[in-house]
Amino acid sequence: MKAQGKDLAATDRDRAKAQRREDLLAEATRLFAIHGYAGVSLEDLGAACGISGPAVYRHFSGKPAVLIALLVGVSEDMIEGGRKVTAAGGSAEEILKRLIAFHTDFALARPDIIQVQDRHLVTLPAAELQLVRKLQRAYIALWTEQLHQVHPEETNAVIRFRAHAAFGLLNSTAHSAHSPRTSKAGLRKLLNQMAASALFTRVG
């Protein structure tokens, strides 16, 4: 019984530690979006989570490690989610519509992380920046593979342009979705329709 009790206590500690780490990442995303990466200290981050600055080191080796966890993590989330969408099958048009919906929901739910990535991606160390770029290319490929089926007559450059145009549109919500006058449901519908137009409308 004692051993079982110790195991349960260890599990509880592990859960608490994992939750604290997630809380730190959530607050880091919010603070970096508001004040910029350079404008936030570990003391600021710790205070936002109710702990001391030095206590943050129990979870991250330093502020660069926080940024790495944020930006590598979001890229991993996007490629994982995108792969689940494509694995569900269907026609190219159906898959693209689900990819649009997936990306729209992400952009509306996590505008702060989009702002952090836009501003501070180049701040990452070279190895992590290369990893993020690789993950981003893999995510774009999920879209372009379907677009090639919808527009077999178009060049790779035009197909990529379509995909990036859709991303730019959807990610723009990071700068507009905070408005209290914005209806998320209405914005979601509008974004889905506009992104679909960018992807499906034939040129000429």
Side-chain angles (χ1 to χ4, degrees):
M1 292 295 293
K2 289 184 178 180
Q4 185 178 4
K6 289 182 180 179
D7 290 342
L8 290 173
T11 300
D12 288 342
R13 285 196 299 271
D14 290 342
R15 285 201 198 98
K17 184 175 182 179
Q19 184 59 56
R20 177 69 76 189
R21 187 178 189 277
E22 290 303 310
D23 292 344
L24 286 166
L25 289 174
E27 284 302 314
T29 304
R30 183 182 68 83
L31 292 173
F32 290 169
I34 296 171
H35 303 293
Y37 175 72
V40 178
S41 67
L42 287 185
E43 286 71 21
D44 296 328
L45 180 55
C49 290
I51 62 176
S52 66
V56 177
Y57 286 102
R58 298 173 187 168
H59 307 274
F60 299 99
S61 61
K63 195 167 71 165
V66 177
L67 187 65
I68 289 169
L70 284 177
L71 298 187
V72 173
V74 71
S75 294
E76 291 173 339
D77 290 345
M78 293 303 289
I79 187 62
E80 180 182 357
R83 284 172 175 163
K84 287 180 180 178
V85 168
T86 58
S91 68
E93 290 87 350
E94 291 168 341
I95 292 172
L96 281 169
K97 288 178 181 178
R98 293 201 305 271
L99 284 170
I100 291 170
F102 165 72
H103 199 111
T104 299
D105 288 344
F106 161 76
L108 290 174
R110 303 183 66 185
D112 287 349
I113 193 64
I114 294 175
Q115 291 191 46
V116 173
Q117 180 166 279
D118 286 347
R119 297 173 186 170
H120 304 300
L121 180 60
V122 295
T123 307
L124 288 177
E128 285 74 18
L129 179 58
Q130 184 178 12
L131 173 58
V132 169
R133 294 296 193 197
K134 180 180 179 181
L135 292 169
Q136 289 177 333
R137 288 193 296 271
Y139 182 68
I140 292 170
L142 296 176
W143 294 63
T144 58
E145 287 169 6
Q146 307 306 320
L147 281 168
H148 275 298
Q149 296 183 51
V150 175
H151 303 288
E153 76 286 357
E154 293 186 345
T155 65
N156 290 338
V158 173
I159 290 294
R160 287 181 62 82
F161 181 83
R162 283 184 183 271
H164 282 286
F167 297 156
L169 170 68
L170 297 175
N171 289 343
S172 68
T173 59
H175 307 285
S176 60
H178 289 294
S179 171
R181 298 180 180 178
T182 303
S183 163
K184 288 290 180 71
L187 186 56
R188 178 179 289 106
K189 182 178 179 181
L190 179 62
L191 287 170
N192 284 340
Q193 292 175 344
M194 293 175 69
S197 295
L199 296 182
F200 296 126
T201 302
R202 296 192 179 277
V203 178

